[in-house]
Amino acid sequence: MPEQALRAGVPLASVALLVGIVAVQAFPELPHGASLAITVTGVGAAACACWLSRRVRILGWLLLGVAWAMWRGAQAMDERLPRGLEGEDLLVTGQLLDLPDPHADGTRFAFRVASARLDGRALAWHGRVQLAWYDRSLVLRPCGRWRLRVRLKRPRGMVNPGGSDAERSALGRGVDAVGYVRDGRDNQRLAASACVDRLRQHLAAAIDARVADPHDAALLRALAVGDTRGLDPDDWAVARATGVSHLLAISGFHVGVAAAFGVGVASLFYALFPGLGLRCPRSRLQAVAALVAAVAYGLLAGMGLPTLRTLLMIAVAVIARSRRRHLDGRHALSVAMLAMLLVDPLSVLSAGFWLSFVGVAFLMFCLDVRGCGMRGFVRDLARGQWVMSIALLPLTLWFFGQASLVGALSNLVAVPVVSLLMVPVTLVAVLALLACPPLAAPLLALAAAIGHALWWVLARMATWPGAAWYLPAVTPWALWLAMLGAVWLLAPRGTPHRWLGALLFLPLLMPARAVIPPGAFRAWVFDVGQGLSVLVRTDRHALLYDAGARYPSGFDVGAAAVVPSLHALGVQRLDLLMISHGDNDHAGGAGAVLEAFDPPRRLSGEPARMPAPMTPCEAGQSWRWDGVTFRVLNPRRQPSHDNDRSCVLLVEGSGDRLLLTGDITRRVEGDVAAAVPPGRPVLLTVPHHGSKTSSSASFIAVLHPALAVVSAGWHNRFGHPHPAVVARYRDAGVPLANTAEEGALRLDFPVGAPAHAWPGERKRRRRYWRER
């Protein structure tokens, strides 16, 4: 690329390329076959335009971004496990990647499949998979080659109004399948290999052996080698509430500290050997040393996205210095982004890409660092935290649904402590572990003491009002207005009416609230996999019926799906939590809901099995909210079967009605159907997820629901809904919807009109990476 283009055109080119790539991420489908060939042709044409015509250069970069993202996205989707292999027992050979993550029920790890066989027949498929091995005695080492008997499926996640998008995340991380290792003699380790990840595990174990407190050791492992396996959900909750999550992973600033260490080592060489300056310019060797140190630290850290961004910027600066060219920070950032997008256009799917590049861009745009001495350093640090808090607030709410109002203050304390004290001491301790292990113990003890004191402060700041601040789901137009407002508000002095930029944050901070008139209500049947969770809202009240499961691995559907969905829908208060009965797929997530909302009323069909005190459900209980009546129809007596103790709730407004059935079986279905008074049509959740022990023909005939909703997991091991149950509803002319196929479902019950079922979230938020 000509030097003039490098100086003047790279920032615009990188932005144009980014816009083109981002535009593709909104596509519901990507081209295949002949259309893909046209796309590849478009890549070549757009690339030519980028180089040959100055007038259309920006347009060429934009078109290149579109074509490149379409081709790479289609390729990534084609690399996923073929659908015909889902659920089959495959014999795969490959290598462990990254650091295995041990849990109470087994070990989870990434695995690169080099070859696969089905029934002795070689398959053409290979890729990266996420596996679980439910063997508590097993100790896995990174980089080992294994032959494993596995059962896989394509990445598929729950799709709700809030929470993370597992399928988008899988595409961004290059995960082609997920599954588990089957027991058997076929599972054998073939060889052990040396690699950086094995060194990372060795250093992590060495830190554990020298630091007595497990939590302090976990913090040091995160800073030293990017190993966050020892941090539990409570740690991440404190980090989110105080806005310091970026410090628990290896951030760009930490890499900069490593680069500065490299510069210091190079300067020491010149001080010891002055004649070296006659052979190699000092500035050139310092730049190379900075890059080498940064790359070494980046490899130990696992090469996260912020790390790559910083390494690319340092590499650009080193190249410019070696060529004796001046390249300011704006151009270095642009070249780094351009290089990353050309290598991996799917990196835009991760929150780290946006928080990293946008954060650094705002710092360059807004700050003019002129501080001298400690006073100037503190002033610039405070201004930097103010800029980051304002600039990244819209993106933080967009990606995570929450922000921290104490983040600027907590970062003002944590950033210098972590980056200027803990990281340098920890890095020296890591070098000591490699060169002279006895010297590492006092250094690690010092870093642990600093980290322990810092975490004590952060844990208390996390309890302050506003530390965890939730808002309803952010709309795209509100996001863009808020980002424009941040640019305006943080613009340099002299920009007219900068305070008006704050007004552009209003759609983000004060979203419109949907009004539900008296006598009407709205229900959301959340996508919680194999389980159930339903939100019922009137004008001024909210009830949650069941909360999904919590698994032995520690994965809590209540925390991962239900609570984020409630926040995304703008629920600030739960008036009542009703847990139908004590089975895990209904009650497992209740603890997370109770912790997040602490509802004043709690009902359950099996209060003795609940994580907190609850009042028993009894037939005949009723109450009225905003013109909507809630009636408990079951249990009428003490059933002999646990499932038949389920609370059954009938919700009646001025229109159609909703029946929430839990896991009742045909033993009590007759009593429940008889307790439903004649009136408007009924919509119901299918009892027991569509098990063959429920949904009897007589139950369906008596109620004749206008819609039946199944809440079940995709390809679940129970076979829910059972084909016989599906046939019963079909024969009765009852439409059947399934959260496994459609995602979360919204049901509106207006006044004096039929209920309306909206398209499921999987269809409404259709993207090319979404599984059908």
Side-chain angles (χ1 to χ4, degrees), residues 580-583 606 609 639-646 663:
S580 61
H581 63 301
D583 285 0
E606 294 184 290
R609 298 175 64 189
S640 59
H641 194 279
D642 291 347
N643 286 341
D644 289 334
R645 296 175 186 172
S646 297
D663 275 357

Side-chain angles (χ1 to χ4, degrees), residues 469-724:
W469 183 41
Y470 299 94
L471 285 175
V474 177
T475 59
W477 69 271
L479 171 67
W480 288 111
L481 281 178
M483 292 302 297
L484 179 61
V487 172
W488 195 356
L489 186 64
L490 299 174
R493 292 180 180 180
T495 304
H497 308 298
R498 286 192 301 171
W499 61 272
L500 290 176
L503 299 179
L504 297 181
F505 277 80
L506 292 180
L508 179 77
L509 305 179
M510 302 175 63
R513 179 179 178 271
V515 177
I516 303 176
F521 64 96
R522 175 175 297 162
W524 278 90
V525 184
F526 294 134
D527 181 7
V528 293
Q530 187 63 23
L532 181 65
S533 184
V534 183
L535 171 69
V536 180
R537 299 186 74 177
T538 64
D539 183 32
R540 291 173 296 175
H541 295 83
L543 174 149
L544 184 70
Y545 182 93
D546 286 345
R550 188 179 192 278
Y551 296 100
S553 65
F555 180 71
D556 190 330
V557 176
V562 178
V563 170
S565 295
L566 295 174
H567 287 312
L569 294 172
V571 176
Q572 298 179 349
R573 183 188 74 253
L574 268 184
D575 298 282
L576 192 152
L577 173 64
M578 178 179 285
I579 302 299
S580 61
H581 63 301
D583 285 0
N584 178 60
D585 56 338
H586 297 255
V593 174
L594 290 169
E595 182 178 355
F597 289 94
D598 192 22
R601 294 183 62 192
R602 307 164 185 182
L603 295 174
S604 175
E606 294 184 290
R609 298 175 64 189
M610 294 300 105
M614 291 192 177
T615 302
C617 280
E618 294 180 0
Q621 294 170 328
S622 67
W623 61 93
R624 190 172 178 84
W625 290 340
D626 307 319
V628 179
T629 301
F630 296 77
R631 306 178 193 271
V632 177
L633 307 184
N634 191 72
R636 289 183 172 273
R637 52 188 178 272
Q638 191 67 16
S640 59
H641 194 279
D642 291 347
N643 286 341
D644 289 334
R645 296 175 186 172
S646 297
C647 302
V648 176
L649 183 67
L650 178 66
V651 187
E652 299 178 286
S654 299
D656 290 354
R657 301 172 292 175
L658 176 65
L659 184 65
L660 304 177
T661 59
D663 275 357
I664 60 171
T665 68
R666 63 186 62 180
R667 295 185 183 91
V668 298
E669 283 181 346
D671 293 338
V672 170
V676 177
R680 299 282 305 216
V682 172
L683 284 72
L684 62 78
T685 56
V686 173
H688 201 184
H689 321 287
S691 166
K692 63 181 180 180
T693 62
S694 305
S695 296
S696 62
S698 59
F699 177 73
I700 298 172
V702 171
L703 293 179
H704 194 70
L707 175 68
V709 178
V710 177
S711 180
W714 178 256
H715 288 176
N716 62 85
R717 62 189 178 94
F718 305 101
H720 294 161
H722 194 276

Side-chain angles (χ1 to χ4, degrees), residues 219-226 228 244-262 290 293-298 301 306-311 314 411 414-427 454:
L219 289 177
L220 296 187
R221 284 162 46 193
L223 294 177
V225 294
T228 59
V244 300
S245 298
H246 62 103
L247 296 177
L248 296 183
I250 306 298
S251 71
F253 196 91
H254 299 163
V255 179
V257 172
F261 179 81
V295 169
Y297 186 44
T307 304
L308 286 174
R309 185 260 305 160
T310 306
L311 289 178
I314 294 174
N411 274 277
V415 167
V417 171
V418 172
S419 300
L420 302 182
L421 292 177
M422 288 188 68
V423 169
V425 173
T426 303
L427 287 180
L454 175 63

Side-chain angles (χ1 to χ4, degrees), residues 263 266-267 269-270 273-289 318 321-324:
V263 172
S267 300
F269 264 90
Y270 276 96
F273 307 102
L276 188 62
L278 299 176
R279 297 177 177 272
C280 179
R282 178 172 180 170
S283 60
R284 184 174 299 178
L285 185 60
Q286 285 177 329
V288 173
V318 169
R321 180 66 62 90
S322 65
R323 298 181 60 187
R324 298 181 180 180

